[in-house]
Amino acid sequence: MLCLILYPFVFFVNVTSVEKALLFSSLTLVVIVELINSAIESIIDRIGLEHNELSGRAKDMGAAAVMMTIFMMMGVWLCVLLY
């Protein structure tokens, strides 16, 4: 949901073209990793709904990848907008 607000903001912020590309691509990377995480979770749920340690680990790793990508995106935005 935050991407819906931040994508248009990229075009109105007064920064260089390279910085706009960094802002845009960092947002897009979050969406891509979230889609991959959703695909992993769907595949695991398709295989079986019973508790499996490896399935749980795969889901946790996907969620961690999304979280790390969000942290990276926040760092890019802070660096570009504050410096």
Side-chain angles (χ1 to χ4, degrees):
M1 296 302 289
L2 186 60
C3 288
L4 292 174
I5 297 167
L6 293 179
Y7 272 124
F9 182 74
V10 169
F11 298 105
F12 297 113
V13 68
N14 188 19
V15 293
T16 66
S17 297
V18 173
E19 290 171 330
K20 284 184 183 190
L22 281 170
L23 296 175
F24 188 85
S25 60
S26 67
L27 279 176
T28 304
L29 186 61
V30 171
V31 174
I32 291 168
V33 173
E34 181 59 48
L35 288 170
I36 293 170
N37 181 44
S38 296
I40 290 169
E41 289 184 358
S42 295
I43 290 170
I44 290 172
D45 290 342
R46 168 76 167 85
I47 292 171
L49 294 176
E50 68 276 351
H51 178 70
N52 183 312
E53 182 181 341
L54 293 176
S55 296
R57 272 208 234 148
K59 287 184 174 188
D60 290 343
M61 288 178 197
V66 172
M67 183 180 68
M68 294 303 296
T69 308
I70 290 171
F71 288 156
M72 185 267 323
M73 183 264 309
M74 289 174 18
V76 169
W77 277 73
L78 287 173
C79 287
V80 168
L81 296 178
L82 295 179
Y83 297 108

